[in-house]
Amino acid sequence: MGSAEVVVVAFFLAFLSLCSSKPEGYVVLEHSHDVEAWREDGWEKHDRLSPSEDVFLTFALKQSNLEWLERYFWEVSDPRSSEYGNHFSLSNLARLIAPSQGTVATVKVWLRKHGVHPSDCRTVLTKDFMTCQMSCETAEAMLVGAKFYRFKHSKLSRPVIRSLEQYSVPVSVAPHLDFVGGMLHFPAVNGPSFSRLAEERIINSMKSSKPQDKDQIHIGVFPSVLRERYNVSDTVGTHPNNSQSVAQFLEQYYNPGDLEEFFTLFGSSFKHLEKMSKVIGPDSGRSGIEASLDTQYIMSLGAMVPTWFWSTGGRHESQEPFLEWLVDISNHSEVPWVHSVSYSDNEDTLDVDYMNRINVEFQKAGVRGLTFLFASGDNGAGCKKKKFRPMYPSSSPYVTTVGGTAFDNPFTVSNEYAYDISGGGFSNVFPRPSYQTDVVEKYLKTGPHIPPTSYFNPNGRGFPDIAAVCNHFWIVNNLIPVPGVMGTSASTPTVAGIISLINDARLKDHKSPLGFLNPFLYQNAAGMYDVTTGHNEGCLSEDTGFYAATGWDPVTGFGSPNFPALVKAAISNQ
């Protein structure tokens, strides 16, 4: 029987199962961990959608060969493996993990039964996502239990469409879906904040400093300060096949004029590109603090590396911007090697099956040779009901998470300490990966002031993995120089730019990009500046969480990057 015949038979059998006169049961597909989290995060419920209004939903189809994918992910990411750096093309990845013909047929028949036709949907090259447009009435009929409302947030101009009720699908369809995006998950509304008081302290100290010290003093952090601290000097990217990207969500746009003004003020000491190389998605509107910060610092540390601005502000109210971005990654055969993502959400608000599927997306990226760097969050260890509150994707074992530090002496380029906002801790969902077993066990045995285990899961994935300075940053936003910007969304593009320069060195040495970083980082901890003082916020007395320590710790990881040492280690690997 030919492949076309197989598809026809599978489609026909799926059609018969759905159209049978025998009533079939339904099963809840996705569970919301915290039904009130949306309210706590500042969302307000408004009007119910009318039956004729459209919604856009993303169906995550079950993938194939996931055990093989994960096994190869670890092999291709481990410098000690003979497969290190042997990355897949997107077409080969699609052949590996594409859903079965039966899965595709079953879902399409189900959609068609409810009047959703192929022309209403778009899929991706890996065939494992379908985004479909349909009326609210159709969506609520398909997804039994769903009731769609508009929700608004004070920080956003546009509402989102969500259902607060858990939804069910037919038992014959459930085995073929992981979840339906655009239903229960509210977008995370987070970003950098301002440290006005800290800037005032710096300026006041400047006024009282001795005249002979002034050449050594900086007021706030800007590119040359970071380049000096991390020994980047005047190094820039030169390889034609190198590239990097910043991902932006929820109406975060950048202004080319801001970028030009920023480099006029702060870019005289190194060669740099004046413009973004490519923009994907919407970028029209007033520039945001987050987008300005990310673009200006990844392009300053990863100078001369072509940079993409990947904007998924939510093309439609009912889509999830973060999921939309991941779907876009799966639909582009050529994408940048390094992605800086200043996004995080509370782990306890997300469905475990949802997070497991997102982890598969991270594995897909790693197998392709992509590096995903995520901010660790700005709430320290977090605190809820006398337990620490880890963030996701920060807590995923399949990404590199970046924590935050500050200079011991805020007026000069000096050693660093763990900054109190730096997200960090241990996952309550994902077990500790093998690449960090030894260092985490050492921390738990010998680290200072280890909290009682009632506050955290000592067997969970520890994060972050690496860190960088995260406060007192200068940016230009809407053509105005702005001091005092802070957050791990400042440290993340800083590290991302440095990783892009390391990739540049590997590419020039005819080697592959680094891909998933963590095995490399954990095997080359000597290439980082160990941060051994400070702590993050949490639930304990004096609002403390975890303390920094010698070696790895759940506030700064292994510390901040020493560029020449990491380049040397990267070149020595195959």
Side-chain angles (χ1 to χ4, degrees):
M1 191 183 301
S3 60
E5 292 171 295
V6 171
V7 173
V8 170
V9 170
F11 191 90
F12 181 70
L13 291 175
F15 181 81
L16 287 179
S17 68
L18 282 170
C19 296
S20 170
S21 59
K22 180 182 178 181
E24 68 173 322
Y26 283 76
V27 60
V28 175
L29 192 62
E30 186 181 4
H31 300 267
S32 178
H33 276 204
D34 187 340
V35 295
E36 290 297 315
W38 61 274
R39 199 188 309 273
E40 296 172 4
D41 291 339
W43 293 94
E44 295 180 353
K45 186 169 76 169
H46 286 257
D47 55 307
R48 182 101 145 80
L49 259 66
S50 67
S52 61
E53 289 186 81
D54 280 348
V55 297
F56 292 77
L57 300 177
T58 298
F59 298 87
L61 279 64
K62 289 284 187 183
Q63 299 150 314
S64 304
N65 302 313
L66 293 186
E67 290 184 3
W68 200 99
L69 173 69
E70 180 163 14
R71 183 166 66 249
Y72 197 71
F73 168 82
W74 292 118
E75 291 178 355
V76 79
S77 305
D78 187 347
R80 296 170 298 190
S81 168
S82 60
E83 296 296 329
Y84 181 62
N86 292 330
H87 300 127
F88 270 22
S89 66
L90 182 59
S91 59
N92 285 335
L93 177 64
R95 280 193 282 269
L96 175 68
I97 58 91
S100 69
Q101 294 171 337
T103 287
V104 175
T106 298
V107 173
K108 285 185 175 180
V109 168
W110 176 53
L111 289 166
R112 185 180 289 274
K113 177 185 176 183
H114 288 275
V116 181
H117 296 279
S119 60
D120 300 320
C121 302
R122 61 182 179 88
T123 187
V124 294
L125 295 174
T126 47
K127 309 298 183 185
D128 48 353
F129 285 108
M130 291 176 59
T131 299
C132 301
Q133 178 180 359
M134 66 194 74
S135 69
C136 175
E137 182 179 31
T138 297
E140 292 183 354
M142 287 181 60
L143 305 166
V144 175
K147 292 182 175 65
F148 289 96
Y149 291 84
R150 283 188 180 83
F151 293 82
K152 295 184 179 180
H153 197 286
S154 60
K155 293 183 178 180
L156 301 174
S157 62
R158 296 176 61 188
V160 302
I161 294 171
R162 292 294 182 270
S163 170
L164 294 180
E165 306 297 328
Q166 293 178 342
Y167 60 96
S168 299
V169 300
V171 292
S172 62
V173 175
H176 301 283
L177 290 176
D178 284 323
F179 63 87
V180 181
M183 296 295 298
L184 302 176
H185 180 216
F186 283 79
V189 183
N190 48 30
S193 56
F194 294 92
S195 180
R196 298 293 192 194
L197 182 60
E199 291 297 337
E200 289 175 7
R201 287 201 297 264
I202 290 178
I203 293 171
N204 290 336
S205 296
M206 272 288 292
K207 293 177 180 177
S208 62
S209 62
K210 296 178 181 179
Q212 62 266 34
D213 294 335
K214 286 192 176 182
D215 288 342
Q216 305 301 318
I217 292 175
H218 61 77
I219 306 178
V221 172
F222 37 87
S224 61
V225 172
L226 296 170
R227 283 180 155 259
E228 179 181 350
R229 168 57 183 163
Y230 301 129
N231 295 318
V232 177
S233 186
D234 58 355
T235 305
V236 299
T238 59
H239 197 278
N241 293 334
N242 202 5
S243 54
Q244 59 188 3
S245 173
V246 290
Q248 298 297 322
F249 314 108
L250 299 175
E251 304 169 346
Q252 279 290 325
Y253 308 126
Y254 94 101
N255 182 339
D258 288 348
L259 196 60
E260 182 179 355
E261 179 69 12
F262 180 81
F263 282 131
T264 298
L265 294 173
F266 301 114
S268 61
S269 62
F270 57 94
K271 191 177 179 182
H272 53 267
L273 295 174
E274 296 286 348
K275 297 180 179 180
M276 196 69 58
S277 298
K278 188 170 185 177
V279 175
I280 292 182
D283 183 43
S284 58
R286 187 176 177 83
S287 61
I289 295 292
E290 179 72 77
S292 298
L293 173 66
D294 290 351
T295 55
Q296 289 161 22
Y297 279 88
I298 195 172
M299 293 183 71
S300 294
L301 275 298
M304 296 302 295
V305 176
T307 305
W308 294 22
F309 184 82
W310 206 311
S311 169
T312 48
R315 294 188 181 94
H316 308 287
E317 294 171 337
S318 51
Q319 287 189 324
E320 297 178 17
F322 178 63
L323 179 61
E324 185 183 341
W325 170 70
L326 285 173
V327 171
D328 272 357
I329 294 287
S330 283
N331 211 27
H332 283 76
S333 57
E334 300 293 335
V335 296
W337 297 117
V338 173
H339 298 257
S340 176
V341 191
S342 298
Y343 167 96
S344 57
D345 210 345
N346 292 310
E347 190 182 75
D348 59 11
T349 66
L350 302 174
D351 180 70
V352 174
D353 287 340
Y354 172 89
M355 290 187 284
N356 283 332
R357 172 58 186 260
I358 299 304
N359 282 344
V360 172
E361 300 311 305
F362 297 149
Q363 292 172 41
K364 286 164 58 179
V367 165
R368 294 176 64 186
L370 311 184
T371 298
F372 281 179
L373 294 138
F374 279 86
S376 68
D378 297 341
N379 297 315
C383 185
K384 185 176 183 181
K385 298 179 180 178
K386 295 185 178 180
K387 289 183 180 292
F388 296 145
R389 198 179 193 192
M391 307 294 286
Y392 181 85
S394 313
S395 64
S396 170
Y398 307 99
V399 302
T400 300
T401 306
V402 184
T405 66
F407 284 125
D408 286 343
N409 183 338
F411 322 121
T412 64
V413 176
S414 62
N415 293 331
E416 300 160 55
Y417 68 93
Y419 202 54
D420 55 4
I421 67 168
S422 179
F426 297 86
S427 173
N428 289 322
V429 177
F430 307 111
R432 183 191 309 158
S434 60
Y435 59 75
Q436 64 174 196
T437 297
D438 293 342
V439 296
V440 171
E441 288 183 353
K442 178 183 176 183
Y443 174 82
L444 293 174
K445 289 178 181 177
T446 64
H449 312 295
I450 301 296
T453 53
S454 61
Y455 285 87
F456 71 102
N457 172 24
N459 299 312
R461 188 281 209 245
F463 67 96
D465 307 294
I466 191 171
V469 171
C470 73
N471 68 347
H472 302 167
F473 276 54
W474 280 91
I475 67 168
V476 172
N477 185 241
N478 293 298
L479 301 180
I480 299 173
V482 179
V485 179
M486 61 183 289
T488 54
S489 49
S491 47
T492 304
T494 296
V495 173
I498 291 172
I499 298 303
S500 288
L501 292 185
I502 299 173
N503 270 348
D504 207 78
R506 280 184 60 87
L507 290 168
K508 286 188 288 189
D509 202 43
H510 307 289
K511 300 180 188 295
S512 65
L514 288 166
F516 175 56
L517 277 180
N518 289 7
F520 167 77
L521 291 180
Y522 282 71
Q523 291 170 32
N524 294 282
M528 285 171 272
Y529 291 116
D530 197 4
V531 177
T532 60
T533 60
H535 63 79
N536 61 5
E537 300 169 342
C539 294
L540 303 178
S541 61
E542 299 181 356
D543 193 26
T544 59
F546 295 99
Y547 281 76
T550 301
W552 182 91
D553 59 71
V555 192
T556 66
F558 277 114
S560 57
N562 180 359
F563 174 66
L566 288 175
V567 168
K568 182 178 179 180
I571 294 299
S572 68
N573 290 321
Q574 62 190 31

